[in-house]
């Protein structure tokens, strides 16, 4: 069983609110279809759909004011909207996709999933369907509500369902020595061990860079799955053929996380 995470950076136009990148969505749907019948779970990020609304209403910080409930619901609605675009595109290409709303069966505790009932997901996989989930606004037992990142969801599902491989598709070629969008000399790291990863995360934290989101947040979440033996590969989903090759287990440009 494989889990494919498609970053908001690839499936939306991050600079224009509520705008899907239909070209990328269609191409990626074709790539997934061409791999053929497979045990696959898909998870997508929010990009310009969920994030701006969640940020404006401070959903990730939790409940402070009654007017935030409106923003909580609107964040979820924006994600339902994006999810519909993606699931429809997959169906159009013949992928037996099925939408699952994380907030309808997941509650977090201090922003982390504690219990995860995967019975329905197992059933869908058993029927040959491809469950499609996403980062969502969810209820939280400690702070009222929270943002459940797609990256945390990927890690928990991989652990609970013993996934063989996780493919992270983002808008950069993999993990670099520094943010390639900011540092010109940044180099791609083809293989990254857990020990090296730990060092990078600590450097990131010391530099006070974005450790909750961005690439470091992703690899930090993935570390637990890697330790448990799940193969994790990060590729550029904005480049044609990379996601397809990764799903086929072929050698492809990107970063492989190793124990
Ligand atoms: P997504 O929306 O695809 O989930 P994010 O925007 O959360 O992705 O994270 C990917 C981004 O992280 C990249 O576009 C890149 O600008 C940034 N980034 C920061 N540090 C690194 C790094 N060391 N290597 C690769 N990307 C990095």
């Amino acid at each position: 069983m494989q889990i494919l995470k498609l970053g908001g950076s690839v499936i939306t136009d991050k600079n224009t609110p509520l705008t899907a990148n239909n070209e990328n969505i269609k191409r990626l749907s074709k790539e997934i279809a061409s791999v053929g019948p497979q045990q696959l779970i898909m998870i997508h990020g929010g990009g310009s759909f969920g994030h701006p609304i969640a940020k404006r209403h401070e959903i990730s910080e939790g409940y402070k004011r009654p007017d935030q409930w409106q923003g909580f619901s609107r964040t979820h609605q924006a994600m339902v909207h994006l999810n519909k675009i993606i699931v429809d595109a997959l169906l159009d290409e013949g992928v037996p996709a099925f939408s699952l709303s994380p907030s309808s069966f997941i509650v977090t505790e201090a922003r982390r999933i504690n219990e995860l009932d995967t019975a329905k997901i197992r059933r869908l996989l058993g029927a040959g369907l491809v469950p499609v989930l996403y980062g969502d606004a969810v209820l939280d037992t400690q702070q009222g509500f929270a943002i459940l990142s797609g990256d945390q969801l990927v890690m928990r599902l991989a652990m609970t369902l013993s996934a063989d491989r996780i493919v992270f598709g983002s808008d950069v070629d993999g993990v670099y020595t520094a943010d390639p969008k900011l540092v010109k000399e940044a180099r791609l790291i083809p293989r990254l061990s857990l020990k090296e990863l730990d060092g990078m995360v600590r450097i990131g934290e010391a530099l006070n860079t974005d450790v909750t989101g961005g690439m470091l947040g992703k690899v930090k979440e993935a570390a637990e799955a890697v330790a448990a033996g799940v193969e994790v590969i990060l590729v550029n989903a904005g480049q044609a053929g990379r996601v397809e090759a990764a799903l086929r287990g072929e050698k492809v440009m990107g970063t492989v996380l190793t124990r």
Side-chain angles (χ1 to χ4, degrees):
M1 194 272 287
Q2 307 195 77
I3 301 181
L4 171 63
K5 159 82 199 296
L6 292 177
S9 57
V10 180
I11 52 171
T12 74
D13 175 355
K14 272 198 170 173
N15 299 317
T16 321
L18 302 174
T19 308
N21 187 327
N22 291 314
E23 202 179 305
N24 274 354
I25 292 172
K26 189 172 174 133
R27 176 183 51 78
L28 287 162
S29 298
K30 282 183 196 291
E31 289 189 28
I32 293 156
S34 81
V35 177
Q38 51 184 317
Q39 288 260 301
L40 177 70
I41 296 174
M42 284 181 61
I43 295 171
H44 63 80
S48 66
F49 281 74
H51 287 300
I53 305 172
K55 203 168 167 200
R56 189 158 68 241
H57 297 275
E58 297 168 273
I59 302 308
S60 119
E61 287 83 356
Y63 178 82
K64 282 177 277 186
R65 306 175 306 272
D67 64 276
Q68 281 178 296
W69 287 111
Q70 168 90 229
F72 171 66
S73 185
R74 289 208 186 273
T75 303
H76 170 67
Q77 289 299 99
M79 291 309 299
V80 169
H81 183 178
L82 176 59
N83 181 254
K84 180 174 180 348
I85 294 172
I86 291 169
V87 172
D88 286 345
L90 287 162
L91 289 170
D92 286 348
E93 299 305 329
V95 177
F98 191 85
S99 164
L100 278 187
S101 191
S103 54
S104 65
F105 71 105
I106 297 172
V107 172
T108 54
E109 184 173 342
R111 302 182 193 185
R112 304 298 294 180
I113 303 170
N114 46 10
E115 264 173 59
L116 185 61
D117 181 0
T118 55
K120 280 182 207 127
I121 297 180
R122 283 180 209 270
R123 243 176 215 283
L124 288 169
L125 287 171
L129 298 180
V130 174
V132 185
L133 299 85
Y134 45 93
D136 200 2
V138 298
L139 291 170
D140 187 286
T141 57
Q142 305 264 309
Q143 56 175 54
F145 42 66
I147 296 298
L148 168 64
S149 76
D151 295 332
Q152 185 189 152
L153 191 53
V154 166
M155 194 274 288
R156 281 303 304 264
L157 285 174
M159 299 294 285
T160 312
L161 296 166
S162 307
D164 299 297
R165 184 186 294 123
I166 301 171
V167 178
F168 281 102
S170 192
D171 66 342
V172 289
D173 287 348
V175 184
Y176 283 74
T177 49
D179 187 340
K181 286 185 187 155
L182 303 176
V183 182
K184 230 180 73 203
E185 307 79 45
R187 280 178 299 107
L188 180 67
I189 308 169
R191 293 179 75 82
L192 187 60
S193 72
L194 283 180
K195 204 168 147 233
E196 292 162 330
L197 194 84
D198 190 47
M200 277 188 85
V201 170
R202 261 184 279 132
I203 292 169
E205 278 165 357
L207 296 174
N208 204 14
T209 51
D210 182 13
V211 286
T212 50
M215 196 52 83
L216 275 182
K218 233 175 277 304
V219 293
K220 214 170 143 188
E221 287 290 355
E224 202 178 324
V226 175
V230 183
E231 187 187 321
V232 177
I233 177 159
L234 300 100
V235 297
N236 191 339
Q239 298 291 327
R242 303 237 180 119
V243 163
E244 182 177 344
L247 287 176
R248 288 186 192 276
E250 293 168 5
K251 208 169 158 8
V252 61
M253 182 180 223
T255 299
V256 179
L257 302 185
T258 62
R259 272 197 260 195

